Amino acid sequence: MKLYGYFRSSASYRVRIALNLKGLGCETLAVDLRAPVSGQRTAQFLAVNPEGLVPVLVDGDRTITQSLAIIEYLEETHPEPPLLPRAPADRAQVRALALAIACDVHPLNNQRVLNYLRTPLGHDEAAVSAWYAHWITRGFEALEEQLRRRGSDGRHMYGGTVTLADALIVPQMYNARRFKVDVAPFATLRGICGHLETLPAFARAAPEAQREAQ
Ligand SMILES: N[C@@H](CCC(=O)N[C@@H](CS)C(=O)NCC(=O)O)C(=O)O
């Protein structure tokens, strides 16, 4: 398998976590998202993914885009250890937590969205940072409340084992810290990430642990 990704891309980070949890080897094909390289906009990469987004997994003659589709593909092709609980109601809860991040927080703060706020909309860096912090804060407030209602174990987003939702929260927390969002109010999320980041599968997936970061 080959993974097109970028070391600081949180969507790529999610997939790296899932690959590590399942003990799967994967060749990394680095796509530098930084201007002026903007590798995601090259004709070569757009031929791989017309959306111009990473990650993309290539498995044999299959090309799979979208991090959650990739992780569910890995889950179905390599079921152990499971990243989704067995019971349908529990699976739905885990997916709901993951989708709250992947659909309702992350896309609003994607690089292309931030760039559009700057040009052509003309917002300055203070306004862009406020936008960024706003959507992470709203998302994290809702997640904290979900965890409070459900009674989190303080180490996982759902139940007592690592799930898909854990592979989503750690990269999102990384983004929040990187962009200096105040995460102090989110004690449960911080505690969960603090635990997960100590696990080898998560530590080896961290942006700083990637070759491009060296
Ligand atoms: N929903 C997509 C999001 C992918 C995505 O937004 N990737 C970002 C990096 S985290 C990207 O490639 N951004 C390039 C850009 O904004 O131009 C997924 O989950 O895979």
Side-chain angles (χ1 to χ4, degrees):
M1 289 191 286
K2 295 178 183 170
L3 182 70
Y4 288 89
Y6 177 60
F7 73 114
R8 284 211 188 98
S9 147
S10 57
S12 306
Y13 189 177
R14 298 168 189 163
V15 175
R16 292 196 299 265
I17 292 168
L19 285 164
N20 291 345
L21 286 167
K22 290 185 175 290
L24 298 171
C26 192
E27 182 188 343
T28 300
L29 302 172
V31 181
D32 191 341
L33 303 184
R34 288 169 293 199
V37 179
S38 300
Q40 76 276 30
R41 304 299 318 161
T42 61
Q44 193 187 5
F45 184 69
L46 290 171
V48 176
N49 182 8
E51 281 189 283
L53 299 171
V54 291
V56 177
L57 185 80
V58 179
D59 188 13
D61 59 359
R62 295 282 179 175
T63 298
I64 307 169
T65 61
Q66 290 291 338
S67 61
L68 291 196
I70 294 169
I71 295 173
E72 294 238 10
Y73 172 75
L74 296 174
E75 176 77 355
E76 288 166 13
T77 52
H78 301 84
E80 296 299 327
L83 299 181
L84 288 169
R86 192 179 288 255
D90 292 326
R91 294 166 85 86
Q93 296 299 337
V94 169
R95 287 189 173 117
L97 291 167
L99 291 170
I101 297 168
C103 298
D104 299 338
V105 176
H106 178 265
L108 289 160
N109 288 349
N110 201 357
Q111 183 181 311
R112 62 185 179 175
V113 171
L114 303 182
N115 284 341
Y116 193 77
L117 290 172
R118 296 180 181 108
T119 313
L121 297 186
H123 294 287
D124 61 17
E125 286 310 307
V128 172
S129 296
W131 166 282
Y132 195 99
H134 175 80
W135 294 115
I136 290 205
T137 304
R138 287 292 87 78
F140 279 11
E141 283 169 353
L143 288 172
E144 278 280 322
E145 177 60 15
Q146 299 254 36
L147 296 175
R148 191 192 64 75
R149 287 184 194 178
R150 216 172 264 143
S152 161
D153 75 349
R155 292 154 66 94
H156 305 94
M157 291 291 282
Y158 193 84
T161 57
V162 171
T163 66
L164 172 68
D166 297 312
L168 274 279
I169 190 60
V170 167
Q172 193 60 59
M173 182 63 80
Y174 169 85
N175 275 359
R177 290 185 171 128
R178 183 174 161 224
F179 287 90
K180 304 200 177 354
V181 177
D182 179 14
V183 295
F186 309 116
T188 314
L189 292 175
R190 283 192 290 107
I192 290 170
C193 290
H195 165 67
L196 294 169
E197 283 159 0
T198 66
L199 304 180
F202 286 77
R204 283 191 287 110
E208 292 71 26
Q210 307 314 300
R211 204 177 39 234
E212 303 114 283
Q214 310 310 316

